[in-house]
Amino acid sequence: MSLSPLLQELISALRTLPGVGPKSAQRMALHLLERDRTGAQTLAEALVQAVEHIGECQVCRNLSERERCGICEDGTRDRGVVCVLESPVDLMAVEQTGGFNGVYFVLKGHLSPIDGIGPDELGLEQLFTRVDGGEVSELILATNPTVEGEATAHYIAEQLQQTHVNITRIAHGVPVGGELEFVDGGTLAHAFAGRRSLKRSADD
Amino acid sequence: MSLSPLLQELISALRTLPGVGPKSAQRMALHLLERDRTGAQTLAEALVQAVEHIGECQVCRNLSERERCGICEDGTRDRGVVCVLESPVDLMAVEQTGGFNGVYFVLKGHLSPIDGIGPDELGLEQLFTRVDGGEVSELILATNPTVEGEATAHYIAEQLQQTHVNITRIAHGVPVGGELEFVDGGTLAHAFAGRRSLKRSADD
Ligand SMILES: [Zn+2]
Ligand SMILES: [Zn+2]
């Protein structure tokens, strides 16, 4: 097909978006060019700004354009309760439940020795230092209920066994084998409410 | 939710794409920022280039970054057969059947007096001038099989009743009430093969 080369490039670029096949990419490109050129320019600018300025929060590793993200800087959030998640998309899912008022730590992955992802890659030293700081009273392990997510949660719980921090795991309610980001807000809120301690109690 | 403002802007910009809801926009933004920043930059650049340089072919009104599009410039295409379409997305659908070797004229719409879209807005004068030029032997009216598409086809056929050009309408095969762009290639090829003349023959 003799398409305009620039149109072809735009279609390929749109296909790199998750969930966008050849047909949708085509429709998107034509929609932008035929009906929404201003929208196309706005999107281009938003992409450039986001890539250039969005880095990582120095406290929680969430996506942020400043040194500390909006959540870490928010004085109304309870810094004593830290929710540990695998990714920013999970963080957004939890935030959207509106039922959590603590802060976060984003691992950006899970332990996976076969892929060379160990404690260092997940920033665990930084998390443990934060716990040692004394401000944290509870660590909610909200990694995905997958084999790797569970292993990561248990590794963290094990490492902190000797501290005085309360360590909890979100309740089942999140479907086993599922991904947090696809869980509806109600289920997720329920899972948070039903979280249980992973730490051996003194009378065990 | 305390999202990074630039991330929020990127998510809104992505939502202007057709078929992209809030959840997909979020996943796209995070995918780009977490896993494909190069892809984000490529997309931004492709958008800027496309918006800046893609205009309209002076001959057929197809999207083109040059004065004449690749199809109008292609010496192997039969310029005697002109397919009249409502939009560039329809043109792409026909091209993808691989079964049409003529050229095009893109109306960019259909007659719709209520919206102020008349013959001028569809470039019909330009089409009629092209027909008068003598190079065209057949005009295939491939507007959508909707009320407006049919009305537009009949208007064009009526205007050219006194010329020697053969005027055909693509066959039913394209589902009535449907849109060309959603029809599979096989049906579309079939519709082309079964096209019929709309011109009254001398012995009518
Ligand atoms: Zn933060
Ligand atoms: Zn052209």
Side-chain angles (χ1 to χ4, degrees), chain A residues 57-62 64 67-73 104:
Chain A
C57 170
Q58 298 305 300
V59 178
C60 75
R61 300 180 25 127
N62 183 19
S64 175
E67 214 173 293
R68 284 159 166 266
C69 73
I71 296 167
C72 287
E73 271 187 340
Y104 296 95

Side-chain angles (χ1 to χ4, degrees), chain A residues 154-170:
Chain A
H154 280 95
Y155 176 86
I156 295 170
E158 208 49 53
Q159 298 298 307
L160 298 174
Q161 209 56 245
Q162 304 309 320
T163 67
H164 287 84
V165 172
N166 192 16
I167 299 176
T168 56
R169 176 91 176 104
I170 52 171

Side-chain angles (χ1 to χ4, degrees), chain B residues 65-131:
Chain B
E65 59 213 72
R66 285 162 309 172
E67 212 173 296
R68 284 161 166 265
C69 73
I71 295 168
C72 287
E73 269 188 339
D74 183 346
T76 71
R77 311 276 306 214
D78 182 355
R79 291 182 197 171
V81 183
V82 178
C83 175
V84 179
L85 296 157
E86 290 187 33
S87 79
V89 80
D90 296 335
L91 186 155
M92 289 170 92
V94 174
E95 280 295 286
Q96 273 155 6
T97 69
F100 178 67
N101 193 43
V103 292
Y104 296 95
F105 188 81
V106 184
L107 301 171
K108 304 208 168 186
H110 46 237
L111 291 177
S112 179
I114 209 165
D115 301 311
I117 300 173
D120 283 357
E121 284 68 31
L122 304 182
L124 290 186
E125 207 47 59
Q126 187 180 342
L127 175 64
F128 297 153
T129 306
R130 188 160 157 199
V131 166

Side-chain angles (χ1 to χ4, degrees), chain A residues 7-45:
Chain A
L7 178 55
Q8 208 124 37
E9 271 166 42
L10 177 56
I11 293 170
S12 328
L14 286 163
R15 286 199 57 186
T16 64
L17 294 171
V20 177
K23 200 102 189 180
S24 326
Q26 221 176 69
R27 300 197 65 222
M28 287 173 174
L30 290 174
H31 170 85
L32 291 171
L33 289 168
E34 294 282 296
R35 273 170 253 163
D36 195 9
R37 288 187 174 227
T38 311
Q41 279 163 324
T42 307
L43 177 54
E45 185 57 21

Side-chain angles (χ1 to χ4, degrees), chain B residues 46-67:
Chain B
L47 286 162
V48 167
Q49 290 296 321
V51 167
E52 250 176 48
H53 299 295
I54 296 180
E56 171 175 308
C57 171
Q58 297 307 301
V59 178
C60 75
R61 306 185 12 136
N62 183 19
L63 289 168
S64 175
E65 59 213 72
R66 285 162 309 172
E67 212 173 296

